[in-house]
Amino acid sequence: MAMDGITLYKVREDLEKYLPIRINRISETGKTGIVFNVHANEVRCNLLMSFHSSSNHICLSDRSFNSYSDPSTFVMVLRKYLLNGIIYQIEQYDYDRYLLMHVRSRDELYDEKHYILSVELMGKYANLILVDGCGKII
C-alpha cells in the first residue's frame, strides 16, 4: 500500500523530534532503496527511504543494511553534496505526499551550501530529487 499524506505527516512529526540530523554515510539497498546512516540527538540510526512502486516509505531504523559494492551515479552525487551535511528542517505542505528536507553542507572549499532533498512518495511515481539553494535540480 502506498503511503498517504496523513501517515507521512505523522512520520514527519516523528522525524522532527530528532532534528538536527547529521548524515554520516549514504548507500543504496537496491534499485529502489537508499539508506542514510545518520546521527541525531546522540542516537545513531539509519534513515531508510524506499521508492518501490507498491511499498514506498521513509523511516528511522536500528537495523543494519547491506549496501551494493558498486553504487549508482545518483548515490555518488548524493555523497558528493550531502555527506557530512545536517538536515535542519523538514517541510510538508498541507497533507501532500512529499517532504522537503533542508540540508546544510560544505563544499570542497568549505563554503556553506544549502540543498533541498525532495522525497516524493506518490505510489508508483515515488521519486527523490536533489535541488541546490538556487532551485536548480542537480
Short mmCIF file of all heavy atoms in Angstrom, two decimals, residues 6 21 27-30 33 36 46 62 64 68-69 80 83 87 92-93 95 99 108 123 133 135 137:
data_model
loop_
_atom_site.label_atom_id
_atom_site.label_comp_id
_atom_site.label_asym_id
_atom_site.label_seq_id
_atom_site.Cartn_x
_atom_site.Cartn_y
_atom_site.Cartn_z
N ILE A 6 -1.55 11.74 5.32
CA ILE A 6 -1.73 11.80 6.77
C ILE A 6 -0.67 10.97 7.48
O ILE A 6 -0.10 11.40 8.48
CB ILE A 6 -3.16 11.35 7.14
CG1 ILE A 6 -4.18 12.31 6.52
CG2 ILE A 6 -3.33 11.28 8.65
CD1 ILE A 6 -5.60 11.86 6.61
N ILE A 21 19.76 16.51 12.19
CA ILE A 21 20.22 15.16 11.87
C ILE A 21 21.46 15.26 10.99
O ILE A 21 21.42 15.87 9.93
CB ILE A 21 19.11 14.38 11.12
CG1 ILE A 21 17.84 14.28 11.98
CG2 ILE A 21 19.60 13.01 10.72
CD1 ILE A 21 16.64 13.72 11.25
N SER A 27 24.21 5.07 1.28
CA SER A 27 24.36 3.87 0.47
C SER A 27 23.00 3.47 -0.08
O SER A 27 21.98 4.04 0.28
CB SER A 27 24.95 2.72 1.30
OG SER A 27 24.15 2.46 2.41
N GLU A 28 23.00 2.49 -0.96
CA GLU A 28 21.74 2.03 -1.53
C GLU A 28 21.55 0.56 -1.19
O GLU A 28 22.51 -0.20 -1.10
CB GLU A 28 21.68 2.26 -3.03
CG GLU A 28 22.73 1.56 -3.83
CD GLU A 28 22.68 1.92 -5.31
OE1 GLU A 28 21.66 2.44 -5.76
OE2 GLU A 28 23.67 1.69 -5.98
N THR A 29 20.30 0.19 -0.97
CA THR A 29 19.99 -1.20 -0.62
C THR A 29 19.52 -2.00 -1.82
O THR A 29 19.38 -3.21 -1.73
CB THR A 29 18.89 -1.24 0.45
OG1 THR A 29 17.72 -0.61 -0.07
CG2 THR A 29 19.33 -0.53 1.70
N GLY A 30 19.28 -1.36 -2.89
CA GLY A 30 18.80 -2.00 -4.11
C GLY A 30 18.52 -0.92 -5.13
O GLY A 30 18.94 0.22 -4.99
N GLY A 33 15.96 1.59 -3.10
CA GLY A 33 16.13 1.98 -1.71
C GLY A 33 17.43 2.70 -1.44
O GLY A 33 18.48 2.33 -1.98
N PHE A 36 20.47 6.42 4.58
CA PHE A 36 21.34 7.45 5.13
C PHE A 36 21.70 7.01 6.55
O PHE A 36 20.81 6.88 7.39
CB PHE A 36 20.64 8.81 5.19
CG PHE A 36 20.35 9.42 3.87
CD1 PHE A 36 19.20 9.11 3.17
CD2 PHE A 36 21.24 10.33 3.31
CE1 PHE A 36 18.93 9.68 1.95
CE2 PHE A 36 20.98 10.91 2.09
CZ PHE A 36 19.82 10.58 1.41
N ASN A 46 19.64 4.54 11.07
CA ASN A 46 19.57 4.62 9.62
C ASN A 46 18.25 5.25 9.21
O ASN A 46 17.19 4.89 9.72
CB ASN A 46 19.67 3.23 8.99
CG ASN A 46 21.03 2.63 9.20
OD1 ASN A 46 22.04 3.28 8.98
ND2 ASN A 46 21.08 1.38 9.64
N ASP A 62 16.98 0.90 13.35
CA ASP A 62 18.22 0.49 14.02
C ASP A 62 18.89 -0.66 13.30
O ASP A 62 20.02 -1.02 13.61
CB ASP A 62 17.93 0.08 15.47
CG ASP A 62 17.49 1.25 16.30
OD1 ASP A 62 17.89 2.39 15.98
OD2 ASP A 62 16.74 1.04 17.28
N SER A 64 20.82 -2.87 10.49
CA SER A 64 21.89 -2.58 9.52
C SER A 64 21.48 -3.17 8.17
O SER A 64 20.83 -4.20 8.09
CB SER A 64 23.22 -3.18 9.98
OG SER A 64 23.11 -4.57 10.08
N TYR A 68 25.32 -2.12 -1.83
CA TYR A 68 25.99 -2.60 -3.03
C TYR A 68 27.44 -2.12 -3.03
O TYR A 68 27.73 -1.01 -2.58
CB TYR A 68 25.29 -2.09 -4.27
CG TYR A 68 23.99 -2.79 -4.59
CD1 TYR A 68 23.12 -2.26 -5.51
CD2 TYR A 68 23.64 -3.99 -4.00
CE1 TYR A 68 21.93 -2.89 -5.82
CE2 TYR A 68 22.47 -4.62 -4.30
CZ TYR A 68 21.62 -4.07 -5.21
OH TYR A 68 20.46 -4.70 -5.51
N SER A 69 28.32 -2.94 -3.57
CA SER A 69 29.73 -2.54 -3.65
C SER A 69 29.94 -1.50 -4.74
O SER A 69 30.87 -0.70 -4.67
CB SER A 69 30.61 -3.76 -3.91
OG SER A 69 30.23 -4.38 -5.13
N LYS A 80 28.49 13.27 -2.82
CA LYS A 80 29.29 14.46 -3.09
C LYS A 80 28.72 15.69 -2.41
O LYS A 80 29.45 16.49 -1.83
CB LYS A 80 29.38 14.69 -4.59
CG LYS A 80 30.15 15.93 -4.97
CD LYS A 80 30.20 16.13 -6.48
CE LYS A 80 30.93 17.41 -6.82
NZ LYS A 80 30.93 17.66 -8.26
N LEU A 83 27.11 14.43 2.00
CA LEU A 83 27.87 13.73 3.03
C LEU A 83 28.37 14.71 4.08
O LEU A 83 28.88 15.78 3.74
CB LEU A 83 29.04 12.98 2.40
CG LEU A 83 29.56 11.79 3.18
CD1 LEU A 83 28.46 10.76 3.35
CD2 LEU A 83 30.73 11.17 2.47
N ILE A 87 20.65 17.86 8.27
CA ILE A 87 19.24 18.12 7.96
C ILE A 87 18.71 18.97 9.10
O ILE A 87 18.64 18.53 10.24
CB ILE A 87 18.44 16.81 7.85
CG1 ILE A 87 19.01 15.91 6.75
CG2 ILE A 87 16.96 17.12 7.57
CD1 ILE A 87 18.41 14.53 6.70
N GLN A 92 6.44 19.83 4.93
CA GLN A 92 5.40 19.16 4.17
C GLN A 92 4.26 20.15 4.02
O GLN A 92 3.81 20.73 5.01
CB GLN A 92 4.91 17.90 4.89
CG GLN A 92 3.79 17.20 4.16
CD GLN A 92 3.20 16.07 4.97
OE1 GLN A 92 3.36 15.98 6.17
NE2 GLN A 92 2.49 15.19 4.28
N TYR A 93 3.82 20.40 2.82
CA TYR A 93 2.73 21.34 2.59
C TYR A 93 1.40 20.62 2.72
O TYR A 93 1.14 19.64 2.02
CB TYR A 93 2.86 21.99 1.22
CG TYR A 93 4.09 22.85 1.12
CD1 TYR A 93 5.18 22.45 0.37
CD2 TYR A 93 4.19 24.04 1.81
CE1 TYR A 93 6.32 23.23 0.29
CE2 TYR A 93 5.32 24.83 1.74
CZ TYR A 93 6.38 24.41 0.98
OH TYR A 93 7.50 25.18 0.92
N TYR A 95 -1.25 18.20 3.48
CA TYR A 95 -1.10 16.76 3.64
C TYR A 95 -0.67 16.12 2.33
O TYR A 95 -1.12 15.02 1.98
CB TYR A 95 -2.40 16.14 4.15
CG TYR A 95 -2.69 16.51 5.58
CD1 TYR A 95 -3.63 17.49 5.88
CD2 TYR A 95 -2.02 15.90 6.62
CE1 TYR A 95 -3.89 17.84 7.19
CE2 TYR A 95 -2.26 16.24 7.93
CZ TYR A 95 -3.20 17.22 8.21
OH TYR A 95 -3.44 17.55 9.50
N LEU A 99 8.01 15.30 1.05
CA LEU A 99 8.73 16.02 2.10
C LEU A 99 9.87 16.81 1.47
O LEU A 99 10.48 16.36 0.50
CB LEU A 99 9.34 15.03 3.12
CG LEU A 99 8.39 14.21 3.96
CD1 LEU A 99 9.20 13.26 4.84
CD2 LEU A 99 7.52 15.09 4.80
N GLU A 108 33.82 21.55 -1.38
CA GLU A 108 35.25 21.24 -1.31
C GLU A 108 36.09 22.43 -0.86
O GLU A 108 37.22 22.26 -0.42
CB GLU A 108 35.77 20.69 -2.63
CG GLU A 108 35.52 21.56 -3.84
CD GLU A 108 34.17 21.36 -4.48
OE1 GLU A 108 33.43 20.46 -4.10
OE2 GLU A 108 33.84 22.15 -5.39
N GLY A 123 3.01 6.74 -4.54
CA GLY A 123 2.69 5.45 -5.15
C GLY A 123 3.70 5.02 -6.17
O GLY A 123 4.90 4.97 -5.90
N GLY A 133 20.50 25.45 -3.55
CA GLY A 133 19.88 26.61 -2.91
C GLY A 133 19.23 27.57 -3.88
O GLY A 133 18.33 28.33 -3.50
N GLY A 135 17.51 26.64 -6.53
CA GLY A 135 16.36 26.00 -7.14
C GLY A 135 16.69 25.15 -8.36
O GLY A 135 15.79 24.69 -9.04
N ILE A 137 17.86 21.82 -10.20
CA ILE A 137 17.88 20.38 -9.94
C ILE A 137 19.27 19.85 -10.28
O ILE A 137 19.76 20.05 -11.39
CB ILE A 137 16.80 19.65 -10.76
CG1 ILE A 137 15.43 20.12 -10.32
CG2 ILE A 137 16.94 18.16 -10.61
CD1 ILE A 137 14.30 19.55 -11.15
#
